[in-house]
């Protein structure tokens, strides 16, 4: 499953960093571009499976969606594209065109996939609960 290998790569990249963090990592905030055809549920499941036995065990994967924005070199349009919310979008990557002049556009945002930040619970915060 594609989500499984994506989650695996993310975790492998994270693990060297988390070794230096003091406290318990309770959340991993992932930025996912709208153009990424990845199931949030499958990603979360894969994440939970893969972090077992690692310092990330028990952390919750939080997926934040990055909306698509484009820029058009023909007419200078910059901004969102309309048809991204179409039902069909969830099954195939659409060919994006400028909503003003229909030219091919450059995608500015929407292809991201990276860990934005970690939520860490330090031991002192645990004690106060
Ligand atoms: Zn245009």
């Amino acid at each position: 499953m594609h989500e499984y290998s994506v989650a695996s790569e993310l975790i492998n990249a994270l693990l060297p960093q988390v070794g230096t963090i003091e406290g318990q990592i309770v959340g991993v905030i992932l930025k996912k571009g709208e153009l990424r055809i990845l199931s949030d549920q499958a990603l979360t499941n894969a994440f939970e499976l893969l972090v077992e036995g690692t310092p990330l065990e028990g952390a919750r994967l939080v997926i934040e969606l990055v909306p698509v924005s484009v820029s058009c070199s023909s007419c200078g349009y910059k901004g969102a594209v309309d048809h991204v919310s179409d039902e069909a979008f969830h099954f195939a990557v659409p060919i994006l065109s400028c909503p003003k002049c229909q030219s091919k556009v450059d995608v500015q945002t929407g292809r991201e996939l990276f860990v934005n930040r970690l939520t860490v619970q330090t031991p002192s915060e645990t004690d106060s609960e």
Side-chain angles (χ1 to χ4, degrees):
M1 191 184 269
H2 186 48
E3 283 83 358
Y4 192 87
S5 60
V6 168
S8 175
E9 272 178 44
L10 285 170
I11 291 162
N12 286 339
L14 265 180
L15 283 176
Q17 304 173 40
V18 301
T20 62
I21 294 172
E22 273 194 50
Q24 172 68 32
I25 293 144
V26 291
V28 175
I29 290 88
L30 181 73
K31 289 279 188 186
K32 190 190 80 163
E34 221 175 343
L35 289 172
R36 290 284 183 157
I37 313 291
L38 292 169
S39 152
D40 286 7
Q41 190 58 54
L43 262 184
T44 306
N45 291 346
F47 180 88
E48 284 172 2
L49 201 70
L50 286 162
V51 296
E52 274 178 33
T54 77
L56 284 167
E57 185 167 353
R60 200 164 65 93
L61 185 68
V62 180
I63 298 168
E64 293 182 351
L65 203 63
V66 181
V68 178
S69 69
V70 300
S71 75
C72 174
S73 53
S74 301
C75 73
Y77 173 84
K78 277 190 169 63
V81 279
D82 294 336
H83 61 275
V84 164
S85 55
D86 282 2
E87 189 93 342
F89 171 71
H90 296 286
F91 304 102
V93 179
I95 308 291
L96 298 176
S97 58
C98 176
K100 294 214 162 156
C101 72
Q102 312 306 318
S103 299
K104 198 172 164 291
V105 290
D106 295 320
V107 175
Q108 301 296 300
T109 62
R111 286 185 174 143
E112 296 81 354
L113 192 72
F114 62 92
V115 173
N116 188 43
R117 59 190 189 277
L118 300 172
T119 315
V120 181
Q121 198 170 50
T122 61
S124 58
E125 278 170 353
T126 312
D127 290 345
S128 65
E129 276 179 7

